[in-house]
PDB file of all heavy atoms in Angstrom:
ATOM      1  N   HIS A  32      -2.797  -5.920  36.693  1.00 48.00           N
ATOM      2  CA  HIS A  32      -3.460  -4.727  37.218  1.00 48.00           C
ATOM      3  C   HIS A  32      -2.502  -3.863  37.971  1.00 48.00           C
ATOM      4  O   HIS A  32      -2.768  -3.298  39.031  1.00 48.00           O
ATOM      5  CB  HIS A  32      -4.639  -5.109  38.139  1.00 48.00           C
ATOM      6  CG  HIS A  32      -5.627  -6.033  37.520  1.00 48.00           C
ATOM      7  ND1 HIS A  32      -6.553  -5.624  36.592  1.00 48.00           N
ATOM      8  CD2 HIS A  32      -5.831  -7.349  37.654  1.00 48.00           C
ATOM      9  CE1 HIS A  32      -7.291  -6.639  36.184  1.00 48.00           C
ATOM     10  NE2 HIS A  32      -6.868  -7.726  36.806  1.00 48.00           N
ATOM     11  N   ALA A  33      -1.311  -3.810  37.391  1.00 48.00           N
ATOM     12  CA  ALA A  33      -0.248  -2.921  38.054  1.00 48.00           C
ATOM     13  C   ALA A  33      -0.071  -1.651  37.290  1.00 48.00           C
ATOM     14  O   ALA A  33      -0.178  -1.634  36.078  1.00 48.00           O
ATOM     15  CB  ALA A  33       1.046  -3.708  38.113  1.00 48.00           C
ATOM     16  N   VAL A  34       0.277  -0.632  38.045  1.00 48.00           N
ATOM     17  CA  VAL A  34       0.635   0.675  37.434  1.00 48.00           C
ATOM     18  C   VAL A  34       2.103   0.743  37.327  1.00 48.00           C
ATOM     19  O   VAL A  34       2.833   0.551  38.274  1.00 48.00           O
ATOM     20  CB  VAL A  34       0.113   1.829  38.281  1.00 48.00           C
ATOM     21  CG1 VAL A  34       0.548   3.135  37.655  1.00 48.00           C
ATOM     22  CG2 VAL A  34      -1.395   1.752  38.431  1.00 48.00           C
ATOM     23  N   PRO A  35       2.626   0.920  36.079  1.00 50.00           N
ATOM     24  CA  PRO A  35       4.115   0.970  35.889  1.00 50.00           C
ATOM     25  C   PRO A  35       4.762   2.042  36.760  1.00 50.00           C
ATOM     26  O   PRO A  35       4.254   3.138  36.869  1.00 50.00           O
ATOM     27  CB  PRO A  35       4.284   1.257  34.396  1.00 50.00           C
ATOM     28  CG  PRO A  35       2.957   0.847  33.747  1.00 50.00           C
ATOM     29  CD  PRO A  35       1.911   1.146  34.805  1.00 50.00           C
ATOM     30  N   SER A  36       5.878   1.659  37.327  1.00 56.00           N
ATOM     31  CA  SER A  36       6.613   2.648  38.164  1.00 56.00           C
ATOM     32  C   SER A  36       7.327   3.621  37.188  1.00 56.00           C
ATOM     33  O   SER A  36       7.414   3.393  36.012  1.00 56.00           O
ATOM     34  CB  SER A  36       7.597   1.892  39.002  1.00 56.00           C
ATOM     35  OG  SER A  36       8.584   1.226  38.229  1.00 56.00           O
ATOM     36  N   SER A  37       7.957   4.650  37.818  1.00 57.00           N
ATOM     37  CA  SER A  37       8.713   5.592  37.001  1.00 57.00           C
ATOM     38  C   SER A  37       9.846   4.933  36.302  1.00 57.00           C
ATOM     39  O   SER A  37      10.211   5.243  35.176  1.00 57.00           O
ATOM     40  CB  SER A  37       9.200   6.753  37.879  1.00 57.00           C
ATOM     41  OG  SER A  37      10.041   6.227  38.919  1.00 57.00           O
ATOM     42  N   SER A  38      10.541   3.962  36.970  1.00 59.00           N
ATOM     43  CA  SER A  38      11.630   3.257  36.301  1.00 59.00           C
ATOM     44  C   SER A  38      11.111   2.390  35.174  1.00 59.00           C
ATOM     45  O   SER A  38      11.810   2.231  34.141  1.00 59.00           O
ATOM     46  CB  SER A  38      12.374   2.377  37.350  1.00 59.00           C
ATOM     47  OG  SER A  38      11.534   1.434  37.874  1.00 59.00           O
ATOM     48  N   THR A  39       9.976   1.803  35.348  1.00 57.00           N
ATOM     49  CA  THR A  39       9.392   0.978  34.294  1.00 57.00           C
ATOM     50  C   THR A  39       9.046   1.827  33.120  1.00 57.00           C
ATOM     51  O   THR A  39       9.277   1.437  31.976  1.00 57.00           O
ATOM     52  CB  THR A  39       8.154   0.207  34.786  1.00 57.00           C
ATOM     53  OG1 THR A  39       8.471  -0.594  35.918  1.00 57.00           O
ATOM     54  CG2 THR A  39       7.566  -0.688  33.674  1.00 57.00           C
ATOM     55  N   ALA A  40       8.472   3.027  33.378  1.00 55.00           N
ATOM     56  CA  ALA A  40       8.087   3.928  32.295  1.00 55.00           C
ATOM     57  C   ALA A  40       9.330   4.379  31.526  1.00 55.00           C
ATOM     58  O   ALA A  40       9.300   4.486  30.310  1.00 55.00           O
ATOM     59  CB  ALA A  40       7.358   5.153  32.894  1.00 55.00           C
ATOM     60  N   ALA A  41      10.385   4.642  32.256  1.00 56.00           N
ATOM     61  CA  ALA A  41      11.651   5.033  31.590  1.00 56.00           C
ATOM     62  C   ALA A  41      12.164   3.907  30.687  1.00 56.00           C
ATOM     63  O   ALA A  41      12.655   4.187  29.605  1.00 56.00           O
ATOM     64  CB  ALA A  41      12.693   5.398  32.575  1.00 56.00           C
TER      65      ALA A  41
END
Side-chain angles (χ1 to χ4, degrees):
H32 305 287
V34 177
S36 65
S37 58
S38 61
T39 302

